């Protein structure tokens, strides 16, 4: 089977999905290849930002700020509360729902703008061709005039502390703790470390 496009975008994160939608709006026959699978193995658009980055971290920050306010700052407004408790499962479930809604929104935007969505792995070949491997292993060669690479980045393993998935986690793991860690060390004081560190720090009272 062979398809021909004006533009094939590899990667459906903020870089890729916006480029794909704009290309389609400009009248170019456009496809976007995205390999992301969620926890239930369902294909997802949105990349790091919507799935395990900007959006879920802000959802948790919102929850942790509300908890902190209820515990620490409502008193000065004359609002007293007793038995303030944190249900981490409910907080993480709310975050997951927000992610579902927003990633689903991109699927809707692709349909509305006529972007063809390919769910699987994209590989650039010679002679204006892209190989697409679907999640079921089916391989298709797509012909295209242009390719946009928007494949993002992935967390690295730090040799002395490689990710274990339980004790040593990356941003994705830190968004999915199902209980407040008693102690949490963050390696990396960039925005992501500070943001997720402050989420979990809010619950230590
Ligand atoms: C916790 C956290 C919080 C953040 N908060 C913010 C914030 O508040 N504001 C902000 O601006 N940024 C934030 N960021 C950064 C933001 O997430 C990234 O800058 C953004 O996601 C980069 O977009 P991208 O499209 O370049 O890459 P990505 O979002 O990583 O998307 C790349 C996509 O390409 C896909 N892909 C890769 N290779 C292939 C292939 N061969 N075939 C098919 N698909 C492929 C990947 O599966 C992925 O979905 C945050 C990041 C994290 C981790």
């Amino acid at each position: 089977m062979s398809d021909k496009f004006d533009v094939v975008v590899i990667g459906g994160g903020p870089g890729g999905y916006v480029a794909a939608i704009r290309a389609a709006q400009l009248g170019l026959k456009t496809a976007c290849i995205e390999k992301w699978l969620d926890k239930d193995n369902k294909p997802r658009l949105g990349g790091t930002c919507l799935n395990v980055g900007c959006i879920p971290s802000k959802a948790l920050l919102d929850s942790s700020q509300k908890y902190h306010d209820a515990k620490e700052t409502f008193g000065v407004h004359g609002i007293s509360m007793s038995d303030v408790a944190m249900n981490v499962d409910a907080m993480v479930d709310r975050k997951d729902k927000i992610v579902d809604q927003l990633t689903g929104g991109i699927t809707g935007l692709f349909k509305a703008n006529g972007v063809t969505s390919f769910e699987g792995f994209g590989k650039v070949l010679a002679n204006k061709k892209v190989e697409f491997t679907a999640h079921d292993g089916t391989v298709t060669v797509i012909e295209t005039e242009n390719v946009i690479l928007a494949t993002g980045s992935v967390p690295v393993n730090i040799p002395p502390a490689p990710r274990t998935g339980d004790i040593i986690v990356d941003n994705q793991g830190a968004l999915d703790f199902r209980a407040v860690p008693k102690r949490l060390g963050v390696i990396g004081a960039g925005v992501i470390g500070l943001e997720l560190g402050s989420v979990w720090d809010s619950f230590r009272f």
Side-chain angles (χ1 to χ4, degrees):
M1 175 184 149
S2 178
D3 285 308
K4 183 150 191 190
F5 288 87
D6 298 315
V7 181
V8 169
V9 182
I10 303 181
Y17 81 75
V18 174
I21 290 169
R22 189 67 188 130
Q25 287 171 344
L26 292 171
L28 300 167
K29 189 178 175 199
T30 306
C32 181
I33 304 176
E34 172 54 64
K35 67 182 170 68
W36 198 286
L37 291 173
D38 70 9
K39 291 175 211 158
D40 301 321
N41 274 339
K42 289 199 194 116
R44 280 272 192 81
L45 292 166
T48 302
C49 180
L50 275 80
N51 289 288
V52 293
C54 333
I55 299 302
S57 66
K58 299 318 170 280
L60 294 190
L61 270 179
D62 187 21
S63 301
S64 63
Q65 182 65 50
K66 286 184 166 52
Y67 176 80
H68 181 266
D69 285 346
K71 279 283 230 197
E72 299 295 313
T73 68
F74 280 0
V76 297
H77 297 276
I79 304 167
S80 56
M81 301 183 79
S82 57
D83 296 332
V84 177
M86 191 63 217
N87 179 335
V88 175
D89 275 335
M91 175 180 75
V92 173
D93 289 346
R94 170 186 176 271
K95 178 263 297 175
D96 287 343
K97 262 188 212 146
I98 291 170
V99 168
D100 277 349
Q101 277 171 359
L102 294 187
T103 53
I106 301 173
T107 306
L109 285 174
F110 271 14
K111 282 191 186 131
N113 287 283
V115 176
T116 302
S117 195
F118 287 111
E119 294 160 349
F121 190 86
K123 181 175 154 189
V124 180
L125 302 177
N127 300 323
K128 299 190 171 184
K129 288 187 171 62
V130 171
E131 182 184 275
F132 162 62
T133 306
H135 291 300
D136 66 3
T138 314
V139 178
T140 309
V141 173
I142 304 167
E143 288 182 60
T144 181
E145 278 304 309
N146 303 281
V147 176
I148 297 177
L149 292 178
T151 48
S153 59
V154 288
V156 292
N157 273 323
I158 302 170
R163 276 170 285 158
T164 59
D166 49 3
I167 295 172
I168 303 179
V169 299
D170 56 20
N171 57 299
Q172 191 159 359
L175 289 163
D176 275 330
F177 291 139
R178 288 284 167 169
V180 178
K182 286 198 172 57
R183 291 190 302 162
L184 181 65
V186 180
I187 303 176
V191 286
I192 295 169
L194 290 175
E195 195 170 73
L196 293 175
S198 64
V199 164
W200 295 107
D201 186 57
S202 302
F203 303 127
R204 77 191 149 89
F205 301 101

